[in-house]
Amino acid sequence: MSEPDTSVEAKRSSPVLPGVLALVVFAALCCWGAWGQISISARSKDPREYPRKDQGLHITYGGGDLEDDLLPRYAVKLPCDVQDLRWGNIEDMGSAGSLYLRFDTSSTCLDEFLQDNQLQPTAAGMPTVSIPEEYGWIIGSGDDIYGASPTEHVRTSVAIHRGGQRAAAYIVAVYT
């Protein structure tokens, strides 16, 4: 029975190993760079955010903060006198996503909101993205519908319900 060959030649590593190692390091650096833009986070600490079905993991842009990350990404400017603000966002692993906002505001601030966001009356309804059922939105046929494309990547639709003292706004901004 012969002993296994323990010579230096048998211990030499494969020439493929350095290439594989370089590829792994490159992939790790790419992931680390992308992590700063899109992150997987646990439940937001913002009480205004709608509950999510994916409580454990959620893909979100940047840090997922409404004012610092999401409103600028979706090119939405909130009006003055916002009350009862609720929001949610749904992102995918790519660059696409949807931001959902619901708030009440005065008629003066509503006019400011429509102007600041370059929203124009439209005959078309809300975008074809589905609004999560748990948000509880009720958009009626008598609501005013507005739309805009504030950037080449964002499409915004707004439904305004003017039934009470304060108008209720329902916004869907889609990033493609």
Side-chain angles (χ1 to χ4, degrees):
M1 184 178 235
S2 68
E3 293 287 320
D5 187 11
T6 58
S7 67
V8 173
E9 298 231 359
K11 291 184 178 181
R12 206 181 295 168
S13 64
S14 168
V16 176
L17 185 61
V20 170
L21 184 58
L23 185 60
V24 168
V25 169
F26 177 74
L29 288 173
C30 288
C31 290
W32 182 54
W35 191 259
Q37 294 301 313
I38 297 175
S39 62
I40 299 175
S41 64
R43 173 87 177 123
S44 167
K45 293 180 180 14
D46 188 343
R48 305 169 301 173
E49 186 177 9
Y50 285 111
R52 294 190 302 252
K53 288 183 178 180
D54 61 348
Q55 293 287 8
L57 296 175
H58 179 67
I59 308 291
T60 188
Y61 180 78
D65 182 79
L66 178 64
E67 285 81 2
D68 293 339
D69 299 316
L70 301 176
L71 292 177
R73 174 178 168 80
Y74 290 95
V76 174
K77 298 173 188 160
L78 292 178
C80 58
D81 193 26
V82 169
Q83 292 181 2
D84 300 323
L85 173 68
R86 297 297 307 271
W87 67 275
N89 84 306
I90 298 173
E91 304 278 341
D92 68 12
M93 288 299 282
S95 61
S98 299
L99 177 66
Y100 303 88
L101 296 163
R102 188 252 177 254
F103 58 82
D104 295 338
T105 191
S106 66
S107 59
T108 303
C109 292
L110 177 61
D111 292 339
E112 173 190 309
F113 169 74
L114 295 173
Q115 183 177 4
D116 286 351
N117 290 280
Q118 302 170 354
L119 291 158
Q120 300 295 320
T122 180
M126 297 297 277
T128 57
V129 297
S130 61
I131 299 165
E133 187 177 306
E134 61 267 24
Y135 290 4
W137 289 16
I138 300 171
I139 299 170
S141 59
D143 293 340
D144 298 330
I145 305 295
Y146 297 85
S149 292
T151 73
E152 70 176 284
H153 295 290
V154 177
R155 211 175 57 248
T156 305
S157 295
V158 179
I160 305 293
H161 180 74
R162 300 179 192 260
Q165 290 181 328
R166 299 176 60 80
Y170 298 89
I171 296 101
V172 177
V174 178
Y175 192 98
T176 55

